[in-house]
Amino acid sequence: MTVAATAALLPTSAAFAAGKPDSRTADSATVEAFGRIADAVLNDRTSVLLDSRSAGRKATKLDGKVRLSSGLSKAEDTGLSSLKMRKSWLAALGEAYTGADTKTSVDKTTVKGNRATVRVTETTVLTYKKIRGDEPSTTGFTAHHELSFSLGKNGKWELTGIRPQDDGPGAINEPRTAVAATGSIDLNGSPAATRYPGSRNAKPKTLTTKGGLDYKAMAAYAEKYWRNYNPAYRSFNSYGGDCTNFISQALKAGGWKDAAGSDTTDYRKWWYNKSSQSDSWVGANEWSWHTLSTKRAANLSNVYQMDVGDILQMDFDGDGSKDHSMMTTYRSRMGVPYLTYHSTNTYRKSVASIIASYPGAIYYAYRT
């Protein structure tokens, strides 16, 4: 764990002595304690998913300078129980993890009165258990969280809340209640089934350059820039998420040619330049409209049919609007696709783990 304190670091008593009764500043030891408890909570979440986990929760074994509030402690207990269920679901889908490395860094600390807000970045790498024998070695992600603290009358800080700050699917260790699909769905493409194996051997792709497309190059691009963004492109994380922008970059790296135009809203066009881009380049729905209308890709009937360079989109709440885009960058011999994407920045996450986290979502798979 690394800690970068950005608040002015004075003892609590010094802040009051300075004549500022409405503000408090955390000393360096407290800021470090903020980071330790963040690290402990996130490690607790990760450890529940392991095939063989060590007993005991790190968040309950700290020095007492900062602690979990009773309310959050109960919430985390519930969250860990849901992660245990997710672990069981993953096992049923043929996936498990033998090891994990979760590290947390504190990016910003803000203290106002008896409240503190701490923003942290989590970096986690999970090691796949060799069940089928051809799984990749690891999967990894970076995730951002905002932690809320309250200073009690006893002078101790309590962690009262932790919220994810990323768009897109939550990290595999993020407790989440599944949202059931509701309402009528306007089918802009056909939803894909999620049952394994799903005719996994149907029409395998030739991954090397054919007809101007190089699927290996698409995957190589995505796996190069999943965490360290390509400076040649603008990021859209501050404008609703970077996921579709990222897959567009990877598709272009593999041979997709611009469908040039000047009207950004014309979904029949697909382009990017130094000053602007088409909506179909950055928007999940617009990308699917462009892709299907121009026959650059076709819907697959099952997510397990996806191969390297194919795209998976998700509609989280079943309202007919696609919310997220991901690229398949690895496919095991047993027919399990592994996805790499932005928002949350993630490397080789299995489709099984996504389905286990979001069983109520609607999925759209595309053969590019």
Side-chain angles (χ1 to χ4, degrees):
M1 179 187 68
T2 57
V3 177
T6 58
L9 303 180
L10 293 172
T12 299
S13 57
F16 278 85
K20 297 180 180 180
D22 294 328
S23 65
R24 293 175 183 264
T25 52
D27 58 26
S28 58
T30 301
V31 173
E32 290 175 358
F34 287 160
R36 284 199 303 273
I37 199 165
D39 190 74
V41 169
L42 295 172
N43 268 280
D44 284 344
R45 292 178 176 183
T46 303
S47 68
V48 170
L49 296 171
L50 298 184
D51 188 49
S52 176
R53 59 164 300 204
S54 57
R57 289 178 56 188
K58 291 185 177 182
T60 62
K61 297 181 179 180
L62 298 178
D63 54 22
K65 190 175 185 67
V66 178
R67 64 189 183 189
L68 291 176
S69 69
S70 59
L72 185 62
S73 182
K74 292 178 181 178
E76 283 298 306
D77 285 341
T78 300
L80 295 180
S81 294
S82 73
L83 290 173
K84 290 177 183 177
M85 294 177 63
R86 185 175 298 171
K87 174 184 171 181
S88 298
W89 198 330
L90 283 168
L93 292 169
E95 181 165 319
Y97 311 115
T98 60
D101 181 21
T102 291
K103 291 184 172 63
T104 306
S105 61
V106 176
D107 303 318
K108 184 177 181 181
T109 302
T110 304
V111 181
K112 293 183 179 180
N114 295 337
R115 305 286 180 181
T117 302
V118 180
R119 290 185 174 247
V120 303
T121 296
E122 171 196 0
T123 303
T124 290
V125 177
L126 289 153
T127 302
Y128 284 114
K129 183 177 181 178
K130 294 300 182 181
I131 296 175
R132 299 183 176 95
D134 60 352
E135 295 86 350
S137 298
T138 61
T139 179
F141 63 86
T142 57
H144 303 88
H145 309 272
E146 183 178 273
L147 283 69
S148 300
F149 292 87
S150 177
L151 185 64
K153 293 180 180 179
N154 58 4
K156 291 185 178 181
W157 289 96
E158 290 189 341
L159 176 59
T160 58
I162 177 169
R163 296 189 300 120
Q165 298 296 295
D166 299 298
D167 296 314
I172 188 62
N173 66 349
E174 178 190 322
R176 182 181 291 268
T177 301
V179 178
T182 59
S184 60
I185 301 174
D186 179 16
L187 295 180
N188 294 304
S190 302
T194 58
R195 183 179 296 276
Y196 179 82
S199 302
R200 62 182 181 272
N201 295 320
K203 196 178 179 181
K205 294 172 72 170
T206 301
L207 302 183
T208 53
T209 304
K210 183 179 180 180
L213 296 182
D214 188 338
Y215 299 108
K216 287 185 177 180
M218 294 177 187
Y221 181 96
E223 295 193 345
K224 179 178 180 180
Y225 293 111
W226 73 272
R227 180 165 53 187
N228 299 313
Y229 287 28
N230 186 349
Y233 289 96
R234 295 179 289 277
S235 169
F236 291 84
N237 281 321
S238 300
Y239 303 94
D242 198 61
C243 60
T244 307
N245 176 45
F246 182 55
I247 67 162
S248 290
Q249 294 172 32
L251 289 166
K252 187 165 186 176
W256 274 37
K257 304 299 183 184
D258 280 0
S262 56
D263 181 359
T264 61
T265 65
D266 185 353
Y267 63 82
R268 295 168 298 180
K269 306 299 182 182
W270 182 84
W271 52 271
Y272 178 100
N273 60 37
K274 292 182 179 180
S275 60
S276 187
Q277 66 286 317
S278 64
D279 291 351
S280 60
W281 181 282
V282 294
N285 286 299
E286 291 83 355
W287 181 87
S288 69
W289 299 338
H290 167 77
T291 300
L292 295 175
S293 66
T294 59
K295 298 183 179 180
R296 276 188 152 176
N299 275 143
L300 293 170
S301 61
N302 189 294
V303 298
Y304 285 98
Q305 293 174 346
M306 291 191 301
D307 208 331
V308 171
D310 289 341
I311 302 299
L312 182 67
Q313 291 191 310
M314 293 176 64
D315 173 3
F316 291 122
D317 54 11
D319 65 354
S321 177
K322 301 174 183 70
D323 303 300
H324 186 59
S325 306
M326 301 165 278
M327 175 171 280
T328 305
T329 59
Y330 177 81
R331 175 184 166 93
S332 73
R333 292 190 305 274
M334 295 301 294
V336 178
Y338 292 78
L339 298 138
T340 299
Y341 53 90
H342 281 180
S343 310
T344 304
N345 302 336
T346 297
Y347 169 80
R348 290 192 180 184
K349 186 174 184 177
S350 75
V351 72
S353 65
I354 294 172
I355 294 166
S357 300
Y358 296 88
I362 304 298
Y363 295 87
Y364 296 84
Y366 303 84
R367 169 61 50 89
T368 58

